[in-house]
Amino acid sequence: METFDLLMQGFSTAATPINLLYAFIGVLLGTAVGVLPGIGPAMAVALLLPVTYSLEPTSAFIMFAGIYYGGMYGGSTTSILLNTPGESSTVITAIEGHKMAKSGRAAQALATAAIGSFVAGTIGTALLVAFAPVVVDFAVSLGDPSYLAIIVLALIAVTAVLGGSKLRGFSALGIGLAIGLVGADPVTGQQRLIFGQPLLVDGLDIVVVAVAIFAVGEALWIAAHLRRKPMQTIPVGRPWMGKQDWKRSWKPWLRGTAYGFPFGALPAGGAEIPTFLSYVTEKKLSKHPEEFGHGAIEGVAGPEAANNASAAGTLTPMLALGLPTNATAAVMLAAFIQFGIQPGPLLFDSEPQLVWALIASLFIGNTLLLLINLPLAPVWAKLLQLPRPYLYAGILFFATLGAYAVNLQTFDLVILLLLGLLGFAMRRYGLPVLPLVIGLILGPRAEESLRTSLQLSAGNISGLWSEPVAVVVYIIVALVLLAPLALKVIHRRRPESVLLGNIPQAPGETAATDDDGSVANGDANGDNDSDNDNDKDHDKDTGSVLPEHAGSSGGGPAEPAGRHRSDEIQNERERS
Amino acid sequence: MSIVVGYIPTPEGEAALERAISEAASAKAPLVVVNSTRGDVFVDQRFVQSDAAQALDSRLAASGVEHILLQPMGGNDAADEVLDAAETHRADLIVIGLRKRTPVGKLIMGSTAQRILLQAECPVLAVKA
Amino acid sequence: MKQLVSRLKGRSELGLAALLGAFGVIVILDALSLNVPYSQADPVGPKTLPYIVGALLLVCAVLLAINVLRGGHGEAEGGEDVDLTHPTDWRTVVPLLGAFVLNIALIDTVGWVISGTLLFWGSVWALGSRRYIRDGIISVVMALGTFYGFYLGLGIKLPAGLLEGVL
C-alpha cells in the first residue's frame, strides 16, 4: 500500500505541466534518435547531460526516461522499414518485421510493434514498481562486503558475458577503472594520476568522459566508415491492425514481456537473449509456422515486447542498486553522479520524490509514445531525409559545446578529443565501450566498499567474505567466469544439442538478400541459453591464448552460425 | 553516338525515360540511363534500388533498345553525373524531365536542369510531365 | 629485422597492446610514488586499487600482444550507418579532427560564435557536403542559436571573443 501511495505522489510530481513538457520533449527526442541511424539513446542522453545542469534533477530524469523508452520505439520503426536493426536488439524484430513490410504489411508490423511496446513497457514498469522496493529492502540490509561482491559481480558479468572477446572486455574495463582513479583519493586526499595538472585534482568530469566515448568516438568511427549508399526504405502509411492481427498479437506480447523483464533485470541479461527466446517460442507455438521467414506478425509482436520489457527490467538494478547493465543506464547513472545524487540502495530513501516521479513518468512517457508513434509513423520516417554530414557534424558540434559548457575550460575539450580518439581506437580494435563506462562509474564505489569492509575487519582480508550473501555472490562470480569452460566440455560431449541457427546478417544490405528465418532447431528453447554462452565463448577465443582455452576451437557442426549470431549481438550491444 | 537520359522515379523522370526510349528506338542509338545519388542522405527516394532497378532494367530490355543503366554514387550532383555520362558516351542528345512550374516557379527552375541545359555540349530535350 | 618487420605488418593492434601496457605502467608507477603512512582507520589505503588496476592492464596488454601475434584480431564494431567494407577513410577523419583542434585553439580568443561556425562548417565539409553557402548559413545559425540559447535559456555565458559587445 505504501508503494502505491508513493507512486501516486510520483504521478502528481510527474504530471505538473513543466514535467509533462520534459516528458514530451524526451519521447520526441528519443523517437528521433531511435529512428536516425548512427545515434542512439545512450549518445543522446550523454549529449544532453551538460544542458541539463541547470534543470531540476527530476525534470532532467523524466526527460532521460522518455529518451530511453522512445529510443526503443524509434528503433523498431527503422528495423521494420529499413532492415537496419537500430537499438540494442531490434535485430530479431527486423527478421519478420522487414519481411512484413516488404509484402505490404508495414502498417500492421509497425502497429504491433508500437502497441506491443506499450503493453510490455507498461507491464514492465508495473513490475519495476513491485520489485524495486523489495530489492531495495534486501539491499539495505547488506553490509559493505556484500555490496562490494555485488559490484564485482556486475563488473565481471558485463565484461565477461557480454561482447565477443573476454580479453578485450577486460582491457576496456581496466582502462575505465584507471580513468576512475584520476583525482584526489576521497579518504586520504592523496592525488592519483594527475601528472601535476591542477585541473585533474577533482577527477575527470564524468560528463566529459561519457560525451567523449559515446558521442565523439562514435561520430569519428562512423565518419571513418561512412556508408555512401542510400538505404532502401519502404513507404509507410498510418499503422493499423485488423481483428486477426490483434488476435495473433496479444499472446506474443504477454509472453515476450515475461521473457524480457527478468533478463533485463539481470546484471548481464540485456535484451538480445529474451528477444531471441521470444522469437523461437512464437515460432514454435504459432498456428502459422509456415509464415515465419515470410513476415509472421507473431515474430514482430513477441520480440518487440521482450525488448521493451527488458528496458524496464534494466531500470530495476539501476534504481534499486545503482548498477548499470546497459549503456543508457550507465549514462543515466553518470547523470545521477553529476547532480550530486548518490546512486545505490539508499536512493529510494534519500530521493523518494525523484525516484517515484521518474517511475510515474515512465507510465506517462509510454502512453505518449503510443500516441505520437501510431499516427505519426510516416512523419518519423521523413527524418531519414536528413543529410548525413549534418547529423554527424551536429553530434561533434553539440559534444564540443556540451563538454565546454560544463566548466568553460578549453582543457576539457583537449580531454574530450583524447578520449574521443580512445573511443575511436576501441571501436577500431573491437574493445567494447560498455565495460569502460561501467568500470569508470563503479570503480570508485568498489574502492569505497573495499576500504570500509577491511576497515571493519581491521585489515583482515577474510572480512571480504564475512557475510553469507557475499559468499554466495562470489560463488556466482566464479560460476560466471568458469561456466563457459564447463559448458564447453558438455558441449563437446553432446554435439547434438547445438544451435542450428540462421539469423539474418547484421545491419545493412546483405540482410535484404535472404534469410529463411529458421533460427533454431527443436529443443533450442531449453538449451539455447547455454549454447549461446558457449558460442560466444568460442567466438571470443578465436585466436585467443588464454591458457584454458588454447586449442579448444572445436565445436558442433553449427558453430559458424552461432558465432555469427553472437558477433552480431555483440555489435548491437556495444552500439546501444 | 548515344542518347543520355537522366532518370528519377517521378512523373518527370518517367516522361523523360519514355521519350528517350522512343528517341533511341527511332535513331537506333544506344540509350544511357543515369540514375545517381549523392549518397549523403540516409534514404534517397530518387535512387532506384534492387527490385525497382531490376524492373527498370527489364523494362528497358523489353523496349528492345540497346541500353546501359548507370547508377553513380560518387557524391557528385546529378547534373555532373549526367554531363559526365554524356561526355564519356559521346551523346547526341540528352533527355531530361522538367516539372511544370507556376509563373513564380519559373524563377527557381531546378538548378540541375538549368546546369545541364547551360553546360551540355549537345542538344538537350526537356520533357514536361 | 626484416622478419620482424614482416611480422609486425598489419598488426597495428599491437599498438593498442602497447598503449594498454603503458597505461598499466603509469598507473603502478603513480601508485608507487604515493607516500602514505599505514593507518589503522584505512588499512587498504589509496594504493591497493591502483595496483590491482595496473596489474589488470599489464596482464591484458601481454595477453593481447600474444593474441595478436598469433593472428587474433578484434572485430571492428559495426553499426547501422557503418560500412566496414571499405578501410578507414582518413580523408574524412583527419579534416574532421582538424576542425575539432581548430575550435580548441580558437574558442577562447575568437569566441564560440566564430569558432563554432568554423567547427560545424568544417565538419560538414569534411563529411562530404559541398553546398558551401547553405552549409555556411546553417553553421552561423547553429553557433548563434546555441550562444543565445545557452545564455538566455541556461544562464551559461559562452565566450563572445572578438564579437564581444556585438552580441
Side-chain angles (χ1 to χ4, degrees), chain B residues 3-6 14-26 29-33 65 93-96 125 127:
Chain B
I3 292 175
V4 169
V5 58
E14 295 297 342
L17 183 66
E18 285 295 321
R19 184 57 187 262
I21 291 174
S22 62
E23 292 286 337
S26 61
L31 180 61
V32 180
V33 181
V65 184
L93 176 70
I94 298 176
V95 185
I96 55 172
L125 174 60
V127 184

Side-chain angles (χ1 to χ4, degrees), chain A residues 428-447:
Chain A
R428 164 73 180 79
Y429 294 114
L431 259 58
V433 294
L434 188 58
L436 182 148
V437 177
I438 289 184
L440 168 69
I441 290 172
L442 294 183
R445 275 161 61 201
E447 186 178 25

